[in-house]
Amino acid sequence: PKTDIVFLKVHKSASSTVMNVLFRFGETHNLTFAFPIGGGNQLSYPHHFFARFVQGFSPRSPRRFNILCHHMRFLQPEVQKVVSSSAVYFSILRNPVQLMESSFMYYKGTSAFSHAHSLEEFLSQPYHYYNPAKSDSHYAKNLMTFDFGFNPNGEASAKRVQLMLKAIEASFDLLLISEYFDESMVLLKEILCWDLDSIVSFPLNIRDSSTKSPLSDTIVEKIKDWNRLDWEIYTYFNRTFWERIDRDIGRERMQREVKALRERQAELARTCLQGTGSVAPKDIKDSSLQPLQHGNAKILGYNLKQGLDKETEHMCRRLVTPELQYSSALYKKQFARKPP
C-alpha cells in the first residue's frame, strides 16, 4: 500500500469525505500528516502553499510527512519540500454548475455573494457584485482553477487552457470526479494498492436538500460561461477519467468493484448508524459529531447506534466524525507533548 500522498482538497467537491478516508488510513497505519501550524484546517489558504505553513517543517532539517490533505492553494515546488518524491498526487473535481450553486449557499457571507439575493441575481450582472481585488473573491469564480494555483480571472483562450490542463496533468497522478464518487474510490484504491475497507465511507459535509434549488437551463449556461476555466478543467478530466477506467480496469470489473463497495457501505451503515443514514443538525444527539454549520447551508450528520462493543464503536465513530473534530484529534495525537 502507498503511504505517501498529496490530496489537493478542492472546495465543495465531496473532498471532506475523501479526507475522512485519508484520516482513517493515516491513523490506522500510524502515518504523519502535514498539519497547518497550530492545528487549523487550512494551510494559509487562500495564499499559495508554502512549506513553512506546515507544523514541524524546518528548512534546516527537511522533515517529510506522509499525507498532505488540508485545504491549500497548490504550488508544487513548495509541496515537494514536505512530502517524499514518490508521493502520489491526486485531487477531485465537481461539475462547476453544481459547484457554484453549492458555493453560493455555503459562502453566502463572502463579499461577492452577500448582497445578491439569489444566484440568478448575481449572474444577471456579476461585476456589480464581484470584485476580483477582494481577498475572498475566489469563492465566486473559477474556484477549482484557483485551488489548482492558477488565476481565476485569466482569459479562457485555447492556448491558455491547454497550458493549464498540461500543467495539472504533469503534477497529478489521478483526478477523481465527485459525480462518480464510487468509481473514483475504486480508481483510488487501485492506484494506492489499498483494500476495500480503506476506501469505504459515509458522505460527510453534505447539505440538506431543502436548501438546494433546481437551476434553469439559462442559469446553467451562465454558470458555465462565468466559470469557463473550471468548465474546461472539468470536461477534459471527466473524459480522461473514463479513458483511464477503460484502459486500467474495464467497465465490467468497475461495475463489480462498485457493487462490492456499495454493499460494504450498506453493511457498515446497518452496523453503525441509527436509522437509515444522515440526519439534520438539530437531530444529532452526540455534540462531538456535530458538523460545522456554514453560510445558508444545513450540513447533515449522523447518529451512532447505542450499545456497540468498544472496537466496533471506535470504527464506526471514525467513519462519521466531521473533518474539523477528526483533524484536531489527529493533530493532538501527532504533536502530543513528549514526557521529559
Side-chain angles (χ1 to χ4, degrees), residues 5-17:
I5 294 157
V6 174
F7 172 52
L8 177 62
K9 186 176 188 288
V10 170
H11 287 76
K12 314 293 346 126
S13 304
S15 56
S16 298
T17 309

Side-chain angles (χ1 to χ4, degrees), residues 55-328:
Q55 178 89 42
F57 172 81
S58 141
R60 287 182 302 285
S61 61
R63 174 183 173 195
R64 303 281 191 226
F65 298 87
N66 297 116
I67 299 177
L68 174 59
C69 63
H70 287 72
H71 276 308
M72 63 169 160
R73 189 172 182 207
F74 190 65
L75 187 60
Q76 193 162 16
E78 288 292 318
V79 169
Q80 286 167 333
K81 294 177 184 176
V82 299
V83 295
S84 115
S85 57
S86 62
V88 174
Y89 285 68
F90 79 100
S91 186
I92 187 164
L93 305 172
R94 183 182 184 185
N95 186 318
V97 175
Q98 279 70 49
L99 178 68
M100 181 151 202
E101 189 272 333
S102 178
S103 298
F104 185 80
M105 293 302 288
Y106 201 81
Y107 302 115
K108 192 69 185 82
T110 57
S111 59
F113 291 152
S114 58
H115 298 296
H117 292 107
S118 65
L119 189 51
E120 284 82 345
E121 191 180 303
F122 174 84
L123 290 161
S124 65
Q125 39 175 0
Y127 282 105
H128 176 70
Y129 302 101
Y130 175 79
N131 175 357
K134 290 275 168 67
S135 64
D136 61 2
S137 67
H138 57 281
Y139 290 117
K141 185 176 192 188
N142 290 314
L143 180 51
M144 293 192 288
T145 301
F146 182 87
D147 286 354
F148 275 94
F150 303 103
N151 175 9
N153 297 294
E155 52 155 356
S157 67
K159 185 176 177 198
R160 195 193 171 96
V161 166
Q162 270 317 103
L163 286 169
M164 188 172 67
L165 297 175
K166 286 273 170 285
I168 294 172
E169 237 167 4
S171 302
F172 288 84
D173 299 291
L174 180 63
L175 286 157
L176 309 177
I177 303 289
S178 63
E179 284 78 12
Y180 303 105
F181 191 79
D182 293 340
E183 289 84 352
S184 292
M185 289 290 105
V186 170
L187 265 186
L188 186 65
K189 171 171 86 84
E190 198 74 2
I191 197 171
L192 296 175
C193 308
W194 288 7
D195 62 12
L196 182 65
D197 270 13
S198 299
I199 56 145
V200 78
S201 63
F202 295 144
L204 295 177
N205 204 24
I206 52 166
R207 249 193 322 156
D208 179 25
S209 54
S210 68
T211 62
K212 296 179 186 173
S213 45
L215 304 169
S216 70
D217 293 352
T218 320
I219 293 297
V220 167
E221 289 313 312
K222 280 184 176 172
I223 294 177
K224 286 182 194 174
D225 215 42
W226 177 246
N227 297 282
R228 178 55 55 194
L229 294 170
D230 271 11
W231 184 249
E232 296 285 353
I233 291 175
Y234 178 76
T235 48
Y236 179 79
F237 287 108
N238 185 16
R239 196 178 70 240
T240 59
F241 175 82
W242 290 101
E243 286 169 1
R244 177 157 200 162
I245 286 173
D246 290 336
R247 188 189 73 218
D248 295 352
I249 295 184
R251 300 282 170 118
E252 280 179 29
R253 186 177 145 218
M254 177 54 90
Q255 278 180 330
R256 289 198 303 275
E257 296 260 1
V258 165
K259 185 167 176 271
L261 176 58
R262 286 175 183 161
E263 281 168 0
R264 181 65 180 133
Q265 187 179 338
E267 188 185 334
L268 285 169
R270 286 192 297 274
T271 304
C272 296
L273 305 178
Q274 277 181 36
T276 50
S278 49
V279 296
K282 64 175 179 28
D283 298 324
I284 299 169
K285 300 187 181 82
D286 180 342
S287 60
S288 71
L289 297 178
Q290 181 72 253
L292 174 76
Q293 301 298 319
H294 203 288
N296 286 356
K298 261 207 215 112
I299 305 299
L300 304 174
Y302 297 92
N303 285 318
L304 291 178
K305 272 191 180 155
Q306 300 297 300
L308 297 170
D309 66 78
K310 208 171 163 190
E311 202 178 314
T312 309
E313 205 268 349
H314 178 65
M315 173 200 67
C316 293
R317 180 169 287 275
R318 289 163 66 206
L319 277 163
V320 299
T321 299
E323 175 186 326
L324 300 187
Q325 288 94 310
Y326 207 156
S327 183
S328 107

